[in-house]
Amino acid sequence: MLNRIKEQPAVGKLIAQYDQLPRRDQQALTVLAIAVFLGILYFAVWAPAVNFHDEALSERERSAELLAWLEANRESLDRLSGARGEQGGAPVSSPEDGRALMSLVTRTASEAGLSLQRFEPSGNNAIRVWLEGAPFTEVASWLEQLNVGHGVQIDQASMDRQSDPGMVSVRLTLTI
């Protein structure tokens, strides 16, 4: 293979020019070529490999810390994940149809201290709800209660900020 490279006209020309250089220049050029080769080897191979290795070690350490945290908090995580399927030890009471959904939404809204401005059915298993001037935190906790406690999903939501701080106008489409 080295002979094939030497047979190339451009390479042969470079070898001829190298042979015509004085001995000290040949040595300097050889040292320079070795230095360039080592620089390329370091910056193109060694440094990226070391960086990849260091990043892999730090990722492994982060993963081990996460695993240790998950194992240490397994009970509370199981309890929280069980809360999605249970509320206070009782199974989720998911409404069966649009009428039950409407009843559930109006009942839970009044329990949360929210006044529904308007509501209407939207298909068989959905309801559209409007609230005006409602506190955002109460709306958010009410929606969380509907989702976690009753399996009600938010299909569409639009919230507009009111002039009073923390107050919003809300338009929702809730589905079973």
Side-chain angles (χ1 to χ4, degrees):
M1 181 168 155
L2 198 56
N3 288 334
R4 281 189 174 174
I5 293 174
K6 287 182 181 180
E7 290 175 2
Q8 298 293 324
V11 174
K13 205 177 203 182
L14 289 173
I15 291 173
Q17 285 179 344
Y18 178 79
D19 288 339
Q20 290 177 356
L21 291 173
R23 183 85 182 130
R24 291 186 76 122
D25 288 350
Q26 286 180 353
Q27 289 174 343
L29 191 57
T30 302
V31 168
L32 180 65
I34 291 171
V36 167
F37 174 74
L38 291 176
I40 290 173
L41 184 67
Y42 177 78
F43 289 110
V45 177
W46 184 258
V50 168
N51 286 340
F52 177 77
H53 180 262
D54 292 343
E55 289 173 8
L57 285 177
S58 66
E59 178 64 27
R60 180 176 169 231
E61 289 173 8
R62 283 193 306 270
S63 296
E65 288 173 5
L66 177 61
L67 179 62
W69 184 86
L70 287 171
E71 288 174 351
N73 295 303
R74 179 183 302 258
E75 290 177 16
S76 60
L77 292 172
D78 287 342
R79 211 175 37 238
L80 287 174
S81 67
R84 287 194 66 72
E86 301 177 358
Q87 183 174 1
V92 172
S93 60
S94 181
E96 296 158 6
D97 60 8
R99 294 180 115 192
L101 176 62
M102 190 175 294
S103 172
L104 173 71
V105 167
T106 55
R107 180 177 50 82
T108 56
S110 65
E111 289 172 359
L114 297 171
S115 174
L116 299 179
Q117 191 73 19
R118 182 175 146 196
F119 58 92
E120 64 186 33
S122 176
N124 290 335
N125 296 324
I127 181 175
R128 279 184 265 189
V129 178
W130 288 262
L131 293 102
E132 296 291 331
F136 174 77
T137 54
E138 291 180 19
V139 172
S141 64
W142 172 61
L143 291 172
E144 179 69 16
Q145 174 196 2
L146 282 173
N147 181 264
V148 172
H150 303 285
V152 176
Q153 299 293 316
I154 300 171
D155 185 43
Q156 294 179 358
S158 173
M159 291 190 184
D160 297 320
R161 182 174 55 176
Q162 301 261 308
S163 59
D164 294 335
M167 303 301 271
V168 292
S169 291
V170 183
R171 289 176 302 285
L172 301 166
T173 302
L174 304 172
T175 61
I176 300 174

